[in-house]
């Protein structure tokens, strides 16, 4: 249905809707088949998280730019996920068991993937479309980094809006996956609410860091001057 709507509305993503749905089905099927084996070994858990990180970094880099600078997308993702995940585990907020750490890491990686992609694309678009303003700032004595930040930071910071909206409307508009999953698993509403709150706050923190680092990377020209 989504593909039909996209095609009729000439949104240009009809085929992408179909392929994304099929890909999701295959990937979830594969994960379901191996997850029991993965969570039984600490080494396998670490390897699986690294695999998720690699896929997230590759996907974000490809979305931000087609140039060689795409690999820089790995920096904001790890900068957002690593300290937040480490703090949650070190503080005893979450268990280090595979059955817990893998889904939490996946949620954080997914959020940072989205934030990095949105911030990177918006930053490069602004720097491309407002090139004259960048040059004007340079003529006033700004360094290239300072000039780029002045132009791209406000627009790129909008990458945080989805996470902010999700946090503000939780329980009123949406019931996120962690909350629903715990309820279906037999947890009390209070327990589910506490876990979901931790996840949302952690996700917001990780995405804020990822967005900040992405803007810095773009301002330093590491992604390239424009998306190809």
């Amino acid at each position: 249905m989504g593909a039909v709507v996209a095609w009729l509305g000439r949104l240009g993503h009809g085929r992408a809707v179909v392929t994304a749905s099929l890909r999701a089905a295959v990937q979830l099927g594969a994960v379901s088949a191996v997850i029991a084996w993965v969570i039984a070994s600490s080494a396998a858990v670490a390897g699986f998280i690294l695999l998720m990180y690699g896929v997230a970094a590759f996907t974000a880099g490809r979305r931000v730019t087609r140039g060689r600078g795409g690999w820089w997308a790995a920096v904001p993702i790890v900068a957002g996920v690593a300290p937040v995940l480490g703090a949650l585990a070190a503080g005893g907020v979450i268990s280090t068991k595979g059955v817990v750490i893998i889904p939490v890491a996946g949620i954080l990686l997914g959020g940072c993937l989205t934030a990095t992609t949105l911030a990177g694309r918006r930053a490069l678009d602004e720097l491309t479309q407002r090139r004259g303003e960048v040059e004007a700032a340079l003529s006033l004595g700004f360094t290239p980094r300072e000039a780029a930040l002045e132009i791209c930071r406000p627009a790129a910071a909008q990458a945080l809006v989805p996470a902010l909206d999700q946090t503000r409307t939780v329980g009123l508009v949406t019931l996120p996956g962690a909350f629903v999953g715990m309820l279906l698993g037999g947890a009390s509403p209070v327990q589910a609410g506490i876990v979901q709150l931790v996840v949302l706050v952690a996700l917001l923190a990780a995405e804020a860091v990822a967005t900040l680092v992405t803007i810095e990377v773009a301002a330093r020209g590491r992604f390239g001057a424009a998306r190809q």
Side-chain angles (χ1 to χ4, degrees):
M1 179 178 177
V4 173
V5 171
W7 178 72
L8 291 176
R10 298 181 181 179
L11 301 180
H13 294 289
R15 179 177 296 179
V17 171
V18 176
T19 56
S21 300
L22 293 175
R23 180 174 174 176
V26 172
Q27 290 170 179
L28 287 174
V31 169
S32 299
V34 303
I35 196 69
W37 171 78
V38 170
I39 62 177
S41 167
S42 297
V45 168
F48 193 76
I49 292 176
L50 286 175
L51 174 62
M52 291 193 296
Y53 166 62
V55 173
F58 174 78
T59 303
R62 189 175 59 178
R63 293 288 184 268
V64 172
T65 177
R66 294 293 183 179
R68 295 181 179 179
W71 71 269
W72 277 94
V75 177
I77 292 177
V78 73
V81 173
V84 174
L85 188 63
L88 291 175
V93 179
I94 62 172
S95 169
T96 55
K97 293 181 179 179
V99 71
V100 176
I101 201 77
I102 286 178
V104 173
I107 291 171
L108 295 178
L109 284 167
C112 288
L113 161 61
T114 300
T116 299
T117 299
L118 292 177
R121 290 171 68 96
R122 291 299 301 273
L124 294 188
D125 283 345
E126 288 292 295
L127 292 174
T128 299
Q129 297 169 8
R130 301 171 62 185
R131 180 62 187 172
E133 295 177 55
V134 175
E135 294 176 352
L138 291 173
S139 69
L140 293 175
F142 285 70
T143 65
R145 171 183 170 274
E146 291 170 342
L149 282 175
E150 286 295 319
I151 300 303
C152 75
R153 182 161 43 197
Q158 296 300 308
L160 275 178
V161 170
L164 288 170
D165 285 345
Q166 181 184 29
T167 305
R168 288 169 178 157
T169 61
V170 64
L172 299 176
V173 178
T174 61
L175 294 177
F179 181 82
V180 174
M182 289 198 66
L183 288 180
L184 294 177
S188 70
V190 173
Q191 291 174 320
I194 292 173
V195 171
Q196 185 61 69
L197 179 61
V198 170
V199 170
L200 285 175
V201 172
L203 185 59
L204 193 57
E207 289 193 36
V209 174
T211 299
L212 178 63
V213 175
T214 300
I215 294 172
E216 184 67 32
V217 171
R220 291 176 180 270
R222 298 297 187 262
F223 288 133
R227 288 192 291 118
Q228 302 296 324

